[in-house]
Amino acid sequence: MTHPPTKSAAPPGAGAALPAQRTGSPTPAAAPSRRRTAFAEGVDRLRTAATTEPGRLRVIGAVLAVLIVAFGAVTAWQMSERAAAADDVLHRSQPLSSGAADIYRYLADANTAASSGFLAGGQETAASRQTYETDIQKAAAGLVNAAANSEPGSPAEKAVAKLNQLLPEYKGLIERARVYNRQGYPVGGAYLRYANDKMQDEMLPAAQELYEKENARLSSDYSDATPYPWAAIVLGLLALAALGWAQLRHYRRTNRLLNHGLVAASAATVVTLLWLVVGHTLARAGLDSSYDHGVRSLNVLHDARIASLKARGNENLSLVSRGAETITVDKKSYDKYYYDFDKEMTALGKGLTLAAALADDSAGSKPVVAAEGNMKVWKERHAVARDADENGDYQTALDKVIGAKDATAECFDSVDDNLRVALAHEDGEFKERATDGLDAMAGLPIGAAMLGVAAAAGALFGIGRRLSEYR
């Protein structure tokens, strides 16, 4: 008779494990190994591959391609910026600078025409009136153009806004002076002097500030256009050095003199580097020449022309005021307008001397020399008019200033005409040389990028041909 197993019976194979569970602690499970990152594995694979010749060739090809592409990209970037700045010099900042000088001149000329018409009284000519109106219209148009090209909140914009506010006020004062002058009221002279003070003390300083700001913009554009692109040049030299080393290595390992792909890449890099250095050197020379023989002369001639206009205005006002305005200098009293006339004539003489020195050909110096001769005659005739005025002979003084024959008006007109001719010549010189500078950079940014891509492709092709020998 069989009996069922007791509860203490254990299944086969379980008896050996039970004592261990009773007598000892559980054995901890082994910690799983940490998985390496993809980057670390990639570095290891790259290090392993670099120990073989195909791996080294791949690394060399990648480095060459990166250097060459970086050279082409930086060259395109730097030369694009310089070409844009040179274009601004030619088509934007210098025209705006000349436009600001013209605004100043139009205002000064309008003031001079107004005083000349006032001296003529009821015999004011239609030409004199038309000159005044034309100058005011041109000054207003110049302000519109300056406002359109001024940055919001800039000092130039503030100067333009101030002039736009003052111009109608000035015109109103001139019209009142004319009305009272035609009626024979002395108060007309007071209105004219008040208008002149507004012009001299508020409007012309604002126009001068605008001119200075536009000149500063022009100088900034020159500074952006002329520096050498050293970053691109250094990268080009590094790329050439790397290509030379790769070809030398190729020769030593294969005893083959040339690798066509690497030679093509080297040739494209050399062409780009030479184009960069030579092109920018020519561009820099053209721009520097446009400044030295164009902008500098233009600035001096503009200043001289403005000085002549202000001198003429003071000469007229000295007869309008008849000694009513005086100034004290070094404890001596002078007629204000005669004193300012002498000051402006001194500035005119210095400006003409400097302009003659800056002129680099006869076409530029001839009108300046002629203006110097006109200025000397002007000073002689002015001295006669001043003596007559100081001696109480007002009519003789008036005839010597605005008369039909042998008057200072003829000398002023001749000075102004000659300076206009000189300005036109120097403006042509500037445009010609600045255009040469801009043309020297034409196509360089796009050409450098295309040659860079071609050189990188050539380097990769050359390395690829070498790698195919291991397959």
Side-chain angles (χ1 to χ4, degrees), residues 109 113 117 123-135 178:
D109 193 40
Q123 285 73 43
E124 180 183 7
T125 64
S128 174
R129 177 76 180 187
Q130 184 61 42
T131 297
Y132 168 81
E133 294 294 345
T134 300
D135 285 335
R178 280 186 170 137

Side-chain angles (χ1 to χ4, degrees), residues 38-119:
F39 176 76
E41 292 177 355
V43 171
D44 283 346
R45 284 197 297 269
L46 182 62
R47 185 184 296 113
T48 302
T51 60
T52 65
E53 180 61 13
R56 294 190 189 98
L57 287 173
R58 291 188 181 93
V59 171
I60 291 171
V63 171
L64 289 176
V66 168
L67 274 176
I68 294 170
V69 169
F71 169 51
V74 172
T75 299
W77 165 57
Q78 289 195 309
M79 295 313 298
S80 292
E81 287 192 336
R82 283 156 178 76
D87 186 75
D88 283 343
V89 165
L90 180 61
H91 297 116
R92 180 178 172 86
S93 51
Q94 198 283 326
L96 286 175
S97 176
S98 291
D102 286 339
I103 291 172
Y104 193 113
R105 183 177 62 81
Y106 291 139
L107 293 175
D109 193 40
N111 199 48
T112 299
S115 61
S116 297
F118 187 92
L119 285 176

